[in-house]
Amino acid sequence: MEYMLKCRDNVFPCEVTIDDDNGRYMIKKADSSGEVFNSSAELVHWILDNWEIDDFYYQVQFEQMLREIQEGHIV
């Protein structure tokens, strides 16, 4: 799964990648830096600790992304 979220802090979107088949769990933040995780659960924890719904223009898209990545994963 890949998500692009239009953030309020930058013209470039934040990106979230969860690729269970290849073991890739990454985030590209508003400042273009990134984070790499060992599991989708770690990625979700980082999102919950560091991003707020108000950081994004399309809050429904943010909520939908969280719901989808939390399905099937114990957080």
Side-chain angles (χ1 to χ4, degrees):
M1 290 182 269
E2 292 188 16
Y3 301 91
M4 296 183 82
L5 304 167
K6 187 164 172 69
C7 51
R8 296 183 187 275
D9 291 342
N10 198 334
V11 66
F12 299 106
C14 293
E15 297 177 26
V16 177
T17 301
I18 296 178
D19 181 357
D20 288 320
D21 293 336
N22 296 305
R24 296 181 331 132
Y25 310 97
M26 301 174 286
I27 289 177
K28 184 175 109 182
K29 301 182 275 188
D31 63 3
S32 296
S33 67
E35 299 285 337
V36 177
F37 305 93
N38 294 316
S39 69
S40 59
E42 288 180 14
L43 181 142
V44 171
H45 280 295
W46 187 94
I47 290 173
L48 295 173
D49 288 344
N50 293 281
W51 283 350
E52 299 292 330
I53 194 166
D54 293 332
D55 294 339
F56 302 94
Y57 284 110
Y58 304 109
Q59 297 173 350
V60 171
Q61 185 183 28
F62 178 78
E63 290 174 329
Q64 179 181 353
M65 177 210 53
L66 270 181
R67 265 195 314 275
E68 288 178 9
I69 63 177
Q70 287 176 321
E71 284 180 5
H73 299 99
I74 299 173
V75 179

